[in-house]
Amino acid sequence: MKLHERIDGRLREFVERQPMFFVATAPLAADGHVNVSPRGVPGTFAVLDEHTFAWLDATGSGSETVAHLRENGRITVMFCAFDGAPNIVRFHGTGRVVTRYDDEYPALAGGFTDIPGARAVIVVDVERVSDSCGWGVPLMAYEGERDLMGPYFERKGEAGQQEYRRRKNLTSIDGLPAYDADPAVEPEPVA
């Protein structure tokens, strides 16, 4: 393993070339669940500068990353070479959640491909950058993207996406507050 001062040069090129990455977070409680999530929608992640990484976070079936970042901020992001020369790059740092309702969101989200169901931008202040051999990572062929999430959330529309997040993203599997940024639903007037 080799430590690096910053995300630049061949490391940055490697990261930006990968079709996916993995995110690991955990709650403070020792009996809480560690979460590892794959990410990889094209155009939704980028190295912002030599010490900052970010991605456009899509609505999903859970909200563990958001909950853990809100609680303690700890995060590790990992990229693996599945083709070409073997390599693994890890960013250790502190992450924060910029929801679609935060003032900072439009400027950050504008740097990514717009996707239906986007709920936040996750910004990682990278404190440790390392790479290692990756000899144990298998060679695999990239076949393409799954065109499922975009059409699904497009059909739901904004109100349907908010309802989905209220049902599935309010708390983590350990009961921590997660994605609760959507505005409250006004009850329908009784006739």
Side-chain angles (χ1 to χ4, degrees):
M1 178 182 52
K2 182 177 178 185
L3 294 178
H4 302 270
E5 293 292 319
R6 63 190 57 82
I7 310 164
D8 65 358
R10 74 169 183 81
L11 285 178
R12 184 173 184 152
E13 290 169 14
F14 173 78
V15 164
E16 291 175 341
R17 206 173 47 244
Q18 300 314 304
M20 70 177 296
F21 61 97
F22 299 89
V23 174
T25 59
L28 292 175
D31 61 347
H33 293 82
V34 173
N35 184 62
V36 179
S37 296
R39 304 279 189 239
V41 176
T44 61
F45 63 94
V47 175
L48 301 183
D49 62 40
E50 294 178 336
H51 297 283
T52 313
F53 176 77
W55 76 89
L56 185 64
D57 189 51
T59 299
S61 58
S63 201
E64 302 310 299
T65 301
V66 170
H68 296 159
L69 292 180
R70 286 182 66 187
E71 184 197 41
N72 62 61
R74 297 177 308 164
I75 188 166
T76 300
V77 178
M78 182 179 77
F79 299 84
C80 299
F82 294 108
D83 63 3
N87 197 19
I88 298 171
V89 172
R90 289 181 182 89
F91 299 157
H92 297 262
T94 304
R96 61 190 174 91
V97 180
V98 179
T99 76
R100 61 184 301 112
Y101 306 105
D102 294 329
D103 292 341
E104 193 180 2
Y105 182 84
L108 284 167
F112 301 108
T113 299
D114 186 31
I115 57 171
R119 65 183 174 191
V121 173
I122 307 298
V123 180
V124 180
D125 295 319
V126 179
E127 299 158 3
R128 183 178 190 271
V129 180
S130 67
D131 74 331
S132 55
C133 69
W135 293 353
V137 177
L139 288 170
M140 299 191 311
Y142 173 75
E143 291 187 29
E145 299 301 315
R146 297 177 193 268
D147 189 25
L148 300 169
M149 187 170 56
Y152 177 78
F153 284 112
E154 219 167 59
R155 285 190 305 272
K156 285 194 162 301
E158 186 58 34
Q161 292 171 33
Q162 290 177 5
E163 175 55 29
Y164 182 95
R165 287 190 292 267
R166 278 191 281 278
R167 284 188 297 111
K168 297 189 175 265
N169 294 172
L170 284 178
T171 60
S172 74
I173 57 177
D174 295 317
L176 295 172
Y179 192 88
D180 57 6
D182 286 311
V185 177
E186 296 293 324
E188 293 290 322
V190 179

